[in-house]
Amino acid sequence: MDPLSQLAARAQERGGVRLYRKNVEKALTALRSTEDFWSFVDRADLPVPAAAAIVEVLREDGYLAVEEDRLRWTPAGLTWLETQNVPPYTSHLCPACEGRGIPFTADKDLYREFLRVSAGRPPAIQDFDQGSVTPETTVSRVLFLEQNGDLWGKDILVLGAEDDLTGLAIALTRKARRVLVLDIDARLVEFDNRAFRELGIDNAEARVFDLRNPLPDELLGAFDVFVSDPPETLASFRAFIGRGIAALREEGAVGYFGLTLRDASVYKWREFQRLLTGEFGVVITDILQNFNHYMNWDYHPYTRAAQIAPVAAPPRDIWYRSAWYRIEVLPGFVRWNEPIDDDVFYLDEEGTTT
Amino acid sequence: MDPLSQLAARAQERGGVRLYRKNVEKALTALRSTEDFWSFVDRADLPVPAAAAIVEVLREDGYLAVEEDRLRWTPAGLTWLETQNVPPYTSHLCPACEGRGIPFTADKDLYREFLRVSAGRPPAIQDFDQGSVTPETTVSRVLFLEQNGDLWGKDILVLGAEDDLTGLAIALTRKARRVLVLDIDARLVEFDNRAFRELGIDNAEARVFDLRNPLPDELLGAFDVFVSDPPETLASFRAFIGRGIAALREEGAVGYFGLTLRDASVYKWREFQRLLTGEFGVVITDILQNFNHYMNWDYHPYTRAAQIAPVAAPPRDIWYRSAWYRIEVLPGFVRWNEPIDDDVFYLDEEGTTT
């Protein structure tokens, strides 16, 4: 077995997340480009336990050292690295649109109003796996919906992801026909409803709802579009995305959601994709990597990610990103709406940020 | 049934492509924004027979007229349209990167050299379903590979899509370890090989190959990356993508290819996605809509698309775009490499551009 495959096997045993040679190669590319653990996780596109395990194995071999919260290659490590043919880290991301293909400045009025209205938003809390995306992300989501014809005149359901205030941003456009936000967090529901009242937006409403429960009948088949951001467990995916699909009116209706590789592996992605195209009967039309940029959350020190990390310092910069999916339901799509009674709702062996 | 669903049913009967209300809504959004038939097809994101059938039905109803190769709403049509709550056409595409998230100017040297070397390229011909993407597209593809760690030091196979000169552009970077181009068109193979010789690029090679035949054993499991651009029939998809996967060395290896909605429907996309995530055992990591922009081809007047179109004028501007897929093979992936003996190779009922 070649050295990188061996390293993958050892890190897999230690971290409990399946790894192959290419994962380690990408991790080494990342480690060549940054001394910051959290930037490393970001660029390696791996679940935190896998990234931490790779660092551990490299330390064990004397190739990497942790000094003052920085990851540093040792002289032996640098010599070894030279022999491994690891690609240099390269980023060609467009500065104008942060790589999304849609600049958030395309609707400056919306961007400004969202910044103003979202000031004073409730901080992300650990109980509900919260972590807000940047305002630039939220606005870009709305512009993406608009560009795809999924905003104007539409009935839109936002499911359990209102820590991003996407429902609020959609309502601010005054272009949707109806906006309904369901979130478990009463603070967010109150925040939204107050904003709707103060701004005189009367076609938008937020309600407290726990997505482990089935949607009420009146919401089934009542929407053109749903938007969500599920925790990356299979149970949560069903609860958020299955119910999102169940809320859609007819074929051609669409769903949007984020999925990350920080709290899930490509294996789980494939499971989700099979569920979508198979059982649920939908087609995937878009997967945009790193569309969603998450702001750091105050409760970071209390997460499993922080405990697993080989450094004590919290993230300095954005490190948690997710892909943005768009799906379209086809004739015969399935409205899954069963109750969920599952301990593994927010977290499984790959997830660590809750 | 509401008016747009009725229109969908009538257009489906006429065009032979399955349609639902949302397709017609998007088509009307497009028809509100352009009088050019080919721009309409582009913005409607529909196979040409479906788009042409919608125009036909609207003409039948007296809502749309074709005047001097332009589609014009009649007064009755405009009045009717006002009552249908059709979203206005909106494009927020980033001008800096043409919406790809990666500006082709990120490597100006590569862009300039590609423009210089590709001058005098063989024109696209109908026999092999050719149609070249813009130089900006080809360069963006290469930068996308590079950014994902899929270029530097990699063995790369380009499968039957060299009318785009993607293999040539990859070779020009001098960053891949090996580049092998397989294409059925001897003109392109000669063009590439001459360029490789003249530029002293000795790790790149092009060979004439008909992908209906199985890949030779020496190529199976020999590459880190494949790049392709299959015609959108199931037989072609297997031939191009199935063999691309068969050529990959190990789990974590990746494939790139274009898929369009101009010559295929979302139904066929779902079939492809099930094949990928199911039988072939891969995960889809990226789907970037409208990444690939195709230059118009000289043989346009001789295509079924031109015959179906309600206008005689050829396309004036870019109208044919495709999405850019990235897939990653996971442990246990399947190396499909059977011979294909199928009449439906380049064209089926949804495809018209050959």
Side-chain angles (χ1 to χ4, degrees):
Chain A
M1 214 195 293
D2 69 291
L4 300 197
S5 297
Q6 276 175 20
L7 214 153
R10 287 165 62 204
Q12 171 170 327
E13 196 177 355
R14 196 176 285 253
V17 177
R18 279 172 289 188
L19 289 171
Y20 38 70
R21 210 186 59 80
K22 178 71 179 276
N23 301 131
V24 172
E25 182 187 287
K26 193 165 183 185
L28 293 175
T29 289
L31 279 172
R32 277 175 69 159
S33 71
T34 178
E35 298 186 329
D36 179 76
F37 176 74
W38 300 104
S39 292
F40 156 58
V41 175
D42 184 14
R43 296 174 180 190
D45 256 333
L46 284 175
V48 179
I54 290 173
V55 169
E56 272 313 299
V57 170
L58 290 170
R59 284 174 81 175
E60 206 169 76
D61 292 347
Y63 293 160
L64 205 65
V66 180
E67 295 170 8
E68 293 173 11
D69 275 333
R70 301 234 148 236
L71 308 176
R72 296 246 161 87
W73 288 95
T74 63
L78 285 173
T79 306
W80 173 79
L81 191 59
E82 283 309 303
T83 64
Q84 297 307 311
N85 287 316
V86 171
Y89 177 75
T90 314
S91 172
H92 293 307
L93 283 189
C94 180
C97 61
E98 300 187 331
R100 294 187 193 93
I102 293 182
F104 59 85
T105 49
D107 186 341
K108 288 199 187 65
D109 289 339
L110 174 62
Y111 181 52
R112 287 198 200 110
E113 187 176 18
F114 181 71
L115 287 180
R116 188 175 58 75
V117 175
S118 64
R121 65 202 288 170
I125 53 174
Q126 189 163 13
D127 298 14
F128 308 126
D129 184 40
Q130 290 175 345
S132 310
V133 298
T134 61
E136 295 75 28
T137 302
T138 301
V139 169
S140 298
R141 287 178 175 178
V142 177
L143 298 178
F144 194 69
L145 262 71
E146 183 175 29
Q147 177 164 278
N148 283 306
D150 299 328
L151 173 62
W152 197 93
K154 300 301 178 193
D155 296 334
I156 302 178
L157 177 65
V158 178
L159 278 161
E162 196 52 9
D163 42 335
D164 298 329
L165 299 180
T166 306
L168 177 58
I170 290 170
L172 288 181
T173 66
R174 281 86 167 172
K175 289 175 181 165
R177 187 166 68 179
R178 176 191 182 193
V179 182
L180 176 62
V181 173
L182 300 183
D183 200 283
I184 196 170
D185 187 348
R187 300 174 312 149
L188 293 167
V189 168
E190 277 167 34
F191 185 81
D192 271 6
N193 283 332
R194 190 182 314 127
F196 298 151
R197 262 196 319 275
E198 286 174 8
L199 295 163
I201 297 174
D202 55 11
N203 67 336
E205 179 200 351
R207 293 184 203 162
V208 174
F209 191 82
D210 183 342
L211 277 165
R212 278 171 288 204
N213 302 319
L215 290 181
D217 284 350
E218 42 139 8
L219 300 184
L220 297 179
F223 294 88
D224 304 299
V225 177
F226 79 83
V227 181
S228 193
D229 200 10
E232 271 82 7
T233 64
L234 202 57
S236 289
F237 192 81
R238 278 190 175 275
F240 285 64
I241 307 307
R243 293 199 213 293
I245 293 170
L248 294 181
R249 181 167 285 139
E250 60 183 0
E251 50 267 24
V254 305
Y256 290 90
F257 54 88
L259 266 192
T260 178
L261 290 167
R262 304 287 178 284
D263 272 327
S265 67
V266 281
Y267 296 91
K268 208 188 289 164
W269 271 43
R270 183 175 56 178
E271 269 185 80
F272 293 153
Q273 291 173 359
R274 285 176 175 164
L275 183 64
L276 289 168
T277 60
E279 184 183 327
F280 286 162
V282 314
V283 63
I284 306 167
T285 62
D286 302 76
I287 305 179
L288 294 157
Q289 289 287 346
N290 297 326
F291 188 101
N292 301 299
H293 301 185
Y294 290 77
M295 300 187 279
N296 288 309
W297 32 86
D298 297 339
Y299 62 80
H300 170 82
Y302 310 105
T303 61
R304 225 179 99 204
Q307 286 149 32
I308 289 171
V311 296
R316 269 168 278 255
D317 207 348
I318 286 173
W319 69 279
Y320 195 98
R321 300 176 212 270
S322 74
W324 190 228
Y325 272 63
R326 181 180 182 274
I327 58 172
E328 199 164 320
V329 298
L330 299 185
F333 72 97
V334 171
R335 291 213 176 89
W336 185 93
N337 192 31
E338 300 303 309
I340 285 200
D341 178 22
D342 198 323
D343 287 343
V344 185
F345 193 68
Y346 290 128
L347 210 64
D348 62 12
E349 76 288 355
E350 294 172 348
T352 60
T353 56
T354 292
Chain B
M1 216 193 296
D2 67 290
L4 299 197
S5 298
Q6 276 175 21
L7 215 154
R10 287 165 63 203
Q12 170 169 328
E13 197 177 354
R14 194 175 286 253
V17 177
R18 279 172 289 187
L19 289 171
Y20 38 70
R21 209 185 59 81
K22 178 70 180 276
N23 301 132
V24 171
E25 182 187 287
K26 193 167 182 183
L28 294 175
T29 289
L31 279 171
R32 277 176 69 158
S33 70
T34 178
E35 297 186 331
D36 179 76
F37 176 73
W38 300 104
S39 292
F40 156 58
V41 175
D42 184 15
R43 295 175 181 189
D45 256 333
L46 283 176
V48 179
I54 290 172
V55 169
E56 271 314 299
V57 170
L58 290 171
R59 283 173 83 175
E60 208 167 75
D61 291 348
Y63 293 161
L64 204 65
V66 180
E67 295 170 10
E68 294 174 11
D69 274 334
R70 301 231 148 240
L71 309 175
R72 295 246 162 86
W73 288 96
T74 64
L78 285 174
T79 306
W80 173 78
L81 192 59
E82 282 310 303
T83 64
Q84 296 306 314
N85 286 314
V86 172
Y89 177 75
T90 314
S91 172
H92 293 308
L93 283 190
C94 180
C97 62
E98 301 188 328
R100 294 187 193 92
I102 293 183
F104 59 86
T105 49
D107 186 342
K108 288 199 187 67
D109 290 339
L110 175 64
Y111 180 53
R112 288 198 199 111
E113 188 177 15
F114 181 71
L115 286 181
R116 188 176 57 74
V117 175
S118 64
R121 64 199 290 169
I125 53 175
Q126 190 164 12
D127 297 15
F128 308 126
D129 184 40
Q130 289 176 346
S132 310
V133 298
T134 61
E136 295 74 28
T137 302
T138 301
V139 169
S140 298
R141 287 177 176 178
V142 178
L143 299 178
F144 194 67
L145 262 70
E146 183 176 27
Q147 177 164 277
N148 283 307
D150 299 329
L151 172 63
W152 196 95
K154 299 302 178 193
D155 297 334
I156 302 178
L157 177 65
V158 178
L159 277 162
E162 195 53 9
D163 43 332
D164 298 330
L165 299 180
T166 307
L168 177 59
I170 289 170
L172 288 180
T173 65
R174 281 86 167 169
K175 288 176 182 165
R177 188 166 67 180
R178 178 191 181 192
V179 182
L180 177 62
V181 174
L182 300 182
D183 201 283
I184 197 170
D185 187 349
R187 300 174 312 148
L188 293 167
V189 168
E190 278 167 33
F191 186 81
D192 271 7
N193 283 332
R194 188 181 314 129
F196 298 151
R197 263 198 317 276
E198 286 175 7
L199 295 164
I201 297 174
D202 56 8
N203 67 336
E205 181 201 350
R207 293 183 205 164
V208 174
F209 191 83
D210 183 342
L211 277 166
R212 277 170 289 203
N213 303 318
L215 289 180
D217 283 352
E218 42 141 6
L219 299 184
L220 297 180
F223 294 88
D224 304 300
V225 177
F226 81 84
V227 180
S228 194
D229 200 11
E232 270 83 5
T233 65
L234 203 57
S236 289
F237 192 81
R238 277 188 175 275
F240 285 63
I241 307 307
R243 295 201 212 293
I245 292 169
L248 295 180
R249 181 166 285 139
E250 59 183 2
E251 51 267 24
V254 304
Y256 290 91
F257 54 88
L259 267 192
T260 179
L261 290 167
R262 304 289 177 282
D263 271 327
S265 67
V266 281
Y267 296 93
K268 210 188 287 164
W269 271 43
R270 183 175 57 178
E271 270 185 78
F272 293 153
Q273 291 173 359
R274 284 176 176 164
L275 183 64
L276 289 167
T277 60
E279 185 183 327
F280 286 161
V282 314
V283 63
I284 306 166
T285 62
D286 302 76
I287 304 178
L288 294 157
Q289 289 287 347
N290 298 326
F291 188 99
N292 301 300
H293 301 186
Y294 290 76
M295 299 186 283
N296 289 309
W297 32 87
D298 298 339
Y299 62 82
H300 170 80
Y302 311 104
T303 59
R304 225 179 98 206
Q307 285 148 31
I308 290 172
V311 297
R316 269 168 278 257
D317 208 346
I318 288 173
W319 69 279
Y320 195 98
R321 298 174 214 270
S322 74
W324 190 228
Y325 272 64
R326 181 180 182 275
I327 58 172
E328 199 164 321
V329 298
L330 299 185
F333 71 98
V334 172
R335 291 211 176 91
W336 184 92
N337 193 31
E338 300 303 310
I340 286 201
D341 178 22
D342 199 322
D343 288 343
V344 185
F345 193 68
Y346 289 128
L347 210 64
D348 63 11
E349 76 289 352
E350 292 172 351
T352 59
T353 58
T354 292

